[in-house]
Amino acid sequence: MEDINTIIAGCLNKKRSAQQLLYKRYEGLMFGICLRYIGNKVDAEDVLQEGFVKIFMNIEKYRNEGSFEGWMRKIMINSALTYLRNKVKVVFITQQTDIPDDHHEEIYAEVDIQPSELMKIVRSLPEGSRMVFNLYAIEEYSHKEISVMLGISESTSKSQLSRARKIIAYSIEKLKKNNYVAV
Amino acid sequence: MNEKNKIDDLFRNALFDYKEESPSNNNEDKVFWLLNYTNYTRIFKITLGIIIIAIPVTLFAYLLINNSNLKHINSITESNKVNQPKNASAINLTERNSNNTSQIKNNDNQIVKNKIHKLKKENNIAQLQPSNLEISNATISNTEATNSAYTEVSSVNEESAASNNALVLKYTESNISKIESLNAKEIEISKNEALKSGILTLLPAENYNVEANTEENIAKLKPIEFTKSYNSISIELSGNLFNTDKKLSSTNEFASVVKFREINESKILTYAPGIELKFNTKNLFFQTGLNYQIYGEKVNYNFNVIENIINNKLTYYDSLVYVRDSAGHPGYWRYDTIWYNVKDTSYLTQKRIANYTNTFRYIEIPLLIGKSFAVNKFIVDISTGFSFGFLIKADAFLLATDNKTIDRIENRNSPYLNDLQLNYILRIALRYQLNEKWSFFVRPSMKMNMGSLLNQNQYPIQQKYTLYGIGMGMMYTF
């Protein structure tokens, strides 16, 4: 397998073979990120393509600060957020819900849920909640950073996260129930 | 670690490096196609930018140089006129003025030829053969050529020693065949060329019968009148900037929606490039072409809606536990197996936000009639008429008539939109004639939708735009 630095050097020289190697190596990971933010595969593919074009066009801006994968990941996340901002403009923010908060049993650590199932749960979240949950829980951005990235207030970010967690809790409970029944 | 962090950890560990296989096999091809396309687009944009900058600069430089040459020629003409005696013969026409000819550049040949032609007419030298005239022109129009021509002529005519002028005259009368050998083939004077020269225009046919070079006759040779280009066709390229003003109207039933929208929507500036043809007649002109026009507004909706949401999809099992072992053995507990559906009937306060610039893009075909008024090189064109707009793209958020929901318009096929639009147009252009062909204009204009942009069957609020704008551009007359 080619060394990543060699591939990067080839991409810097606009070598198509190096670009293809880079694409093949990271396609799955980057598509996973896009899908996690976008929700549906068709649009995620569009974002994946746009993201890779940005990577190839701007690779000279990568200054070896941090991992290359992290840099690519950032570009892909930004592409996804831009896509969501442009294509899905309206964000419904639930300020107050009466969804009961006491349904969550000690399930999360014990259950053995496949990543693909978790992916489905994330994809089923509403756009706003999905964006915040991905950024906060998986990418580990702070609410302050998220508020800047998405142009929302910190409290909105928190309420979106809370909503996401509640929906996820319900979904996991349902999943567990199905598993239980199956057993 | 609290429960919420467990959720985060669960997902982070599972999904941070999660790889998903794309369902499409040709993603890679699309990426590289897109990469090529982006590169080509970038090159195209740079090229276009260079062209956009280069054309006006070249044009400006050309006009500047042309204007400068025109001044030279005029000064030469004045000088010749002063030195020219009345009843001058052909000798006067070909008089070699070394000071003047040295100033005449090669690219002035045509201008000079035309002037010579007029002077010949004035001097009643119709009897001269074309070949003679050609020699005369060559003599004056090109310094180097002139010198060689004179040298050659001198060598074949022994009677020409007295002067260069006499030399030419002598050849005119007796040695035509030899003179023809000079072959100034690139010079061909005609009435049409004179008219096209852009410097002078001959008066109608009777002026060609002028027999004497009198002041009266010279006076009849008027400068070209740029404004009277009868029965001509012009093409104009323009760019316009419009302020989009909008009027909403409805029945009382939807007055609150109209009011909300008026408060929460604001005007935007839009651009409209266009290419149009102008058919000029003696008194009027007719204009048509293609314009690209954007209508739209900025929406800034931000409001709360209290809704009774019934979520009948959530299903729970209850959390009752029971002791399975009825014999009294401890330790067996399970969730019961009784399932029930929960319908969440809570009221939710939802905040609805839409901060967006709505755009409705049209290709329009204007049909205009107008009249021009000229003062020297300034022309005022007043025109009015209609344009037919064809919707090509739409991208907008629209407050629904329930005043609660926001509908998305993503393309031109939305049922909310009318495909066709009729507009009234009024334009007043101030045009400056740079030369006979080119003119530059500044054009304030007004455009008004005659019908609603929205389909009244789907959205019972009329939405008509009135655009006020200013444009500028160049016009070329064929």
Side-chain angles (χ1 to χ4, degrees), chain B residues 391-394 409-419:
Chain B
L391 182 65
I392 54 168
K393 194 176 177 186
I409 296 175
E410 287 185 300
N411 56 54
R412 61 181 292 274
N413 297 320
S414 167
Y416 285 122
L417 300 172
N418 285 325
D419 281 348

Side-chain angles (χ1 to χ4, degrees), chain B residues 309-412:
Chain B
I309 303 294
I310 299 175
N311 185 352
N312 56 11
K313 288 183 179 175
L314 293 177
T315 307
Y316 304 96
Y317 54 87
D318 66 21
S319 57
L320 291 176
V321 295
Y322 64 97
V323 178
R324 195 177 188 186
D325 187 350
S326 57
H329 298 294
Y332 293 98
W333 62 275
R334 289 283 189 278
Y335 290 108
D336 68 16
T337 54
I338 301 167
W339 301 85
Y340 64 95
N341 291 330
V342 173
K343 289 190 176 181
D344 180 2
T345 55
S346 13
Y347 282 94
L348 301 179
T349 302
Q350 292 197 320
K351 195 173 192 67
R352 299 199 169 162
I353 300 171
N355 184 2
Y356 202 68
T357 302
N358 290 347
T359 51
F360 306 97
R361 294 159 198 266
Y362 284 79
I363 291 288
E364 293 184 344
I365 300 174
L367 294 172
L368 304 172
I369 184 169
K371 187 166 173 57
S372 298
F373 304 91
V375 180
N376 296 327
K377 287 186 175 182
F378 287 96
I379 302 131
V380 177
D381 293 331
I382 298 177
S383 58
T384 185
F386 296 92
S387 73
F388 299 95
F390 301 92
L391 182 65
I392 54 168
K393 194 176 177 186
D395 182 14
F397 285 101
L398 186 66
L399 181 69
T401 48
D402 64 3
N403 232 346
K404 285 182 180 177
T405 50
I406 302 169
D407 289 327
R408 182 84 172 96
I409 296 175
E410 287 185 300
N411 56 54
R412 61 181 292 274

